[in-house]
């Protein structure tokens, strides 16, 4: 009679673990699924959603809508009773209510005489829902351009833009928040009715921009640049900045290759409030998080910042200056 085989406790535990692992694997392979319906509207209470970026140079436009449950197709228009703006001098500007949009009300005014550095308060009331929301933000002081120029890149379909920025004069050592928005047109400046269209997805290698959390990392393979470029700086002296943008249009033929037409690039430099910067950078960060990256997959969810009290959304101030640069036609083989 052969003696019984003696095994160690660790060996025994390893065998038990392996059996349960194989059992779980089989359940995963041959398991079944069951669909469960979840009522996302249960206990859901709609809120006022506000969206407005305002400056001292333009009329104020405020978009107001209602939040709704995820995947809902039942849109409900919000009825606004009254809305107004107040500055820190207690000047009140009533907003006109235009409800011709599908699910959004547009509140607008003329060009209020807001000054740089002014604090502006928004109040929106809806008697229908017994809701009132408020938001407060400040219009920053402007920055300015210095020696900006556009350079074509040999063999590439995009352009290089560089120059210096003169920061606004200010007290203290707080950050100043900047944004660059691009527009272009292929029409001559003298043409009647010429207009600019947005140029999206510029990109940059400048450390002031790439160090910001929203800017896509190297592991976001295939990701395009953000719609605009945002960064912060404490510099008081003029500082250098550079970035790239794609040609607004191209034509290709067998003889010449890619033909990039003559166009005009408008660079809009904005100094923006901290609320503006926080909202937009968190929004861009959320959009990139949805894409995920090569190493870690989907990123944790990102909450988009809001400065609206009693609701959600953004009411944020900025000021702007712009410059227009002429870019000559060229070919790329």
């Amino acid at each position: 009679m052969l003696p019984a085989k003696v095994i160690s406790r660790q060996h025994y535990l390893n065998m038990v673990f392996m059996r349960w692992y194989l059992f779980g694997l089989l359940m995963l392979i041959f398991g079944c699924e069951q669909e469960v319906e979840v009522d996302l509207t249960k206990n859901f209470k709609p809120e006022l959603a506000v969206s407005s970026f305002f400056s001292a140079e333009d009329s104020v436009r405020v978009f107001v809508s209602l939040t709704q449950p995820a995947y809902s197709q039942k849109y409900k228009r919000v009825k606004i009773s009254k809305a107004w703006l107040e500055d820190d001098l207690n000047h009140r500007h009533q907003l006109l209510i235009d409800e011709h949009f599908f699910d959004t009300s547009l509140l607008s005014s003329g060009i209020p005489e807001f000054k740089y550095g002014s604090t502006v308060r928004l109040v929106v009331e809806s008697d229908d829902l017994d809701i009132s929301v408020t938001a407060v933000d400040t219009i920053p002081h402007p920055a300015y351009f210095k020696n900006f120029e556009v350079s074509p890149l040999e063999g590439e379909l995009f352009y290089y833009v560089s120059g210096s920025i003169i920061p606004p004069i200010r007290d203290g050592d707080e950050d100043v928040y900047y944004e660059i928005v691009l527009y272009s047109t292929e029409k001559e400046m003298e043409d009647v009715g010429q207009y600019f269209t947005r140029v999206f997805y510029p990109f940059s290698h400048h450390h002031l921009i790439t160090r910001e959390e929203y800017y896509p990392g190297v592991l976001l393979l295939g990701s395009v640049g953000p719609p605009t470029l945002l960064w912060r700086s404490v510099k008081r002296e003029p500082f250098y900045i550079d970035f790239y943008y794609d040609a607004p249009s191209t034509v290709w033929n067998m003889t010449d290759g890619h033909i990039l037409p003559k166009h005009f690039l408008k660079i809009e430099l904005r100094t923006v409030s901290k609320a503006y910067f926080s909202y937009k950078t968190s929004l861009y960060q959320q959009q990139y998080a949805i894409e995920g990256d090569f190493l870690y997959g989907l990123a944790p969810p990102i909450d988009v910042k809001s400065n609206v009290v009693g609701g959600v959304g953004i009411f944020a101030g900025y000021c702007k200056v712009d410059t227009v640069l002429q870019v000559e036609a060229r070919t790329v083989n």
Side-chain angles (χ1 to χ4, degrees):
M1 185 175 182
L2 297 174
K5 185 176 181 182
V6 179
I7 61 174
S8 68
R9 177 178 176 80
Q10 185 62 46
H11 188 193
Y12 172 77
L13 292 175
N14 289 342
M15 291 174 60
V16 172
F17 171 78
M18 183 58 67
R19 288 175 181 174
W20 278 106
Y21 174 79
L22 292 174
F23 176 76
L25 186 61
L26 289 173
M27 288 294 292
L28 179 63
I29 295 174
F30 298 104
C32 59
E33 64 179 27
Q34 180 180 3
E35 293 185 359
V36 178
E37 292 187 4
V38 179
D39 185 6
L40 298 176
T41 64
K42 187 177 181 180
N43 300 323
F44 176 79
K45 185 178 180 180
E47 295 182 281
L48 282 182
V50 173
S51 177
S52 177
F53 298 99
F54 65 95
S55 71
E57 296 87 4
D58 300 313
S59 61
V60 178
R61 295 160 60 88
V62 182
F63 294 92
V64 182
S65 58
L66 281 177
T67 58
Q68 63 184 49
Y71 308 110
S72 173
Q73 300 297 320
K74 297 180 180 179
Y75 297 97
K76 182 180 179 181
R77 181 188 300 280
V78 57
K79 294 182 179 179
I80 302 301
S81 306
K82 52 186 175 180
W84 66 90
L85 302 171
E86 295 175 349
D87 62 16
D88 43 13
L89 298 177
N90 295 320
H91 296 150
R92 176 177 286 201
H93 308 270
Q94 206 71 28
L95 293 172
L96 302 177
I97 302 172
D98 186 348
E99 296 185 344
H100 72 278
F101 288 90
F102 173 57
D103 64 337
T104 303
S105 292
L106 169 64
L107 315 180
S108 61
S109 74
I111 302 179
E113 295 182 356
F114 294 145
K115 307 298 182 183
Y116 297 137
S118 295
T119 298
V120 183
R121 180 171 179 258
L122 168 71
V123 181
V124 179
E125 295 181 352
S126 172
D127 294 339
D128 182 46
L129 296 174
D130 192 24
I131 293 177
S132 175
V133 301
T134 60
V136 179
D137 204 27
T138 302
I139 302 177
H141 291 269
Y144 297 97
F145 293 102
K146 182 180 179 181
N147 301 327
F148 260 68
E149 59 182 9
V150 179
S151 305
L153 293 175
E154 185 176 354
E156 301 290 348
L157 301 181
F158 49 86
Y159 296 87
Y160 175 70
V161 185
S162 61
S164 295
I165 289 174
I166 303 173
I169 299 174
R170 66 192 188 281
D171 296 324
D173 295 323
E174 70 281 359
D175 284 330
V176 178
Y177 301 92
Y178 301 91
E179 181 181 36
I180 280 183
V181 186
L182 300 180
Y183 303 86
S184 73
T185 182
E186 294 177 16
K187 295 185 177 182
E188 293 293 335
M189 292 296 95
E190 298 79 13
D191 287 352
V192 177
Q194 73 85 18
Y195 63 94
F196 288 87
T197 57
R198 277 286 300 274
V199 176
F200 290 100
Y201 314 121
F203 61 98
S204 177
H205 301 307
H206 196 285
H207 73 279
L208 285 177
I209 297 173
T210 58
R211 72 179 181 180
E212 298 294 348
E213 291 185 353
Y214 79 92
Y215 201 81
V218 294
L219 293 178
L220 279 172
L221 302 179
S223 290
V224 295
T228 61
L229 298 174
L230 291 125
W231 73 95
R232 73 188 90 187
S233 175
V234 296
K235 296 179 183 293
R236 290 177 172 273
E237 300 299 324
F239 62 91
Y240 179 83
I241 201 79
D242 61 357
F243 57 89
Y244 303 84
Y245 75 97
D246 288 326
S249 65
T250 60
V251 177
W252 184 86
N253 62 48
M254 294 287 290
T255 305
D256 302 312
H258 294 278
I259 303 173
L260 282 62
K262 173 183 175 180
H263 65 278
F264 297 87
L265 177 72
K266 182 166 79 170
I267 307 170
E268 185 174 285
L269 172 64
R270 298 182 178 184
T271 47
V272 305
S273 70
K274 184 177 181 180
Y276 184 118
F277 180 86
S278 298
Y279 174 83
K280 272 204 172 181
T281 54
S282 64
L283 178 63
Y284 294 170
Q285 200 173 352
Q286 182 192 68
Q287 293 167 347
Y288 285 121
I290 293 172
E291 294 182 23
D293 62 42
F294 177 74
L295 187 59
Y296 297 107
L298 291 179
I302 303 295
D303 290 329
V304 177
K305 305 295 184 186
S306 171
N307 70 339
V308 177
V309 178
V312 295
I314 187 65
F315 176 71
Y318 70 95
C319 64
K320 63 183 180 179
V321 296
D322 61 61
T323 185
V324 177
L325 304 176
Q326 180 175 313
V327 185
E328 297 299 332
R330 64 190 180 102
T331 60
V332 177
N333 293 320

